[in-house]
Amino acid sequence: MNIDMENRLIDSFIALICGDAAINSAVAGRVRKYGSQTEKAAYPCILVQIANLFPFDAVLGWYKASVNLIAATHIADDPDMATLRTLAGMLRGLIQSGRMDKELNMTQPARTRATALTVADAELADTFEEEDGNARIIGQTVAVVCRPSIGQNQG
């Protein structure tokens, strides 16, 4: 069984974000892995990054992760940051829904046998704001407790 937890988490977060019609429409489907070179940069977009992930219960296989959900816009296209702040607010609403752990468990990547994932907890832990070249970002860090599942996850 593949236990690449970083990719399991990233794929589940991407599926969850893409499943939100308002967010997906606002970014025209541009929800990607942070640092991916497979697609040309286009804004606005949402990026998903694993800041850290480490096991904390080796016997039961649980991991703690910090997952950054990053809203990004191009400086010239969003000079007043209105689009960026709207995207960040939409992401915050998704994170603070109180059911993010259950929703992550129900994504296709989390339910697929080879990448099965069980999320026990997911909550907002931190926020950050940066300018990077021609882009501005607002990131939100989600603290996640998860483990690989055996078989399909039923939430």
Side-chain angles (χ1 to χ4, degrees):
M1 176 170 47
N2 171 13
I3 57 168
D4 181 355
M5 292 299 296
E6 289 86 353
N7 280 327
R8 288 180 190 211
L9 270 173
I10 289 170
D11 291 345
S12 293
F13 270 96
I14 288 173
L16 179 64
I17 295 165
C18 286
D20 185 292
I23 295 173
N24 199 38
S25 175
V27 296
R30 292 184 292 264
V31 181
R32 305 184 173 109
K33 292 179 182 182
Y34 181 87
S36 173
Q37 300 296 313
T38 60
E39 297 168 307
K40 183 178 168 133
Y43 300 97
C45 66
I46 304 289
L47 305 169
V48 180
Q49 174 191 41
I50 302 295
N52 63 54
L53 180 136
F54 56 92
F56 76 96
D57 187 339
V59 175
L60 297 177
W62 288 99
Y63 291 82
K64 286 185 180 179
S66 294
V67 181
N68 292 331
L69 304 182
I70 303 164
T73 59
H74 194 273
I75 289 173
D77 296 336
D78 189 26
D80 63 356
M81 297 174 59
T83 300
L84 180 60
R85 297 208 181 281
T86 298
L87 284 175
M90 294 165 87
L91 277 175
R92 189 170 33 260
L94 184 65
I95 295 166
Q96 294 179 323
S97 69
R99 59 186 186 278
M100 181 174 248
D101 52 351
K102 293 169 189 61
E103 291 175 352
L104 284 164
N105 286 334
M106 298 308 291
T107 63
Q108 189 60 39
R111 296 172 52 96
T112 301
R113 183 164 180 78
T115 60
L117 176 71
T118 298
V119 176
D121 192 26
E123 60 185 41
L124 183 63
D126 196 12
T127 60
F128 55 94
E129 203 168 318
E130 297 175 12
E131 252 184 55
D132 180 19
N134 291 324
R136 285 190 183 115
I137 66 169
I138 295 177
Q140 298 174 71
T141 303
V142 180
V144 178
V145 176
C146 60
R147 72 175 179 188
S149 304
I150 297 172
Q152 288 195 345
N153 187 341
Q154 299 304 316

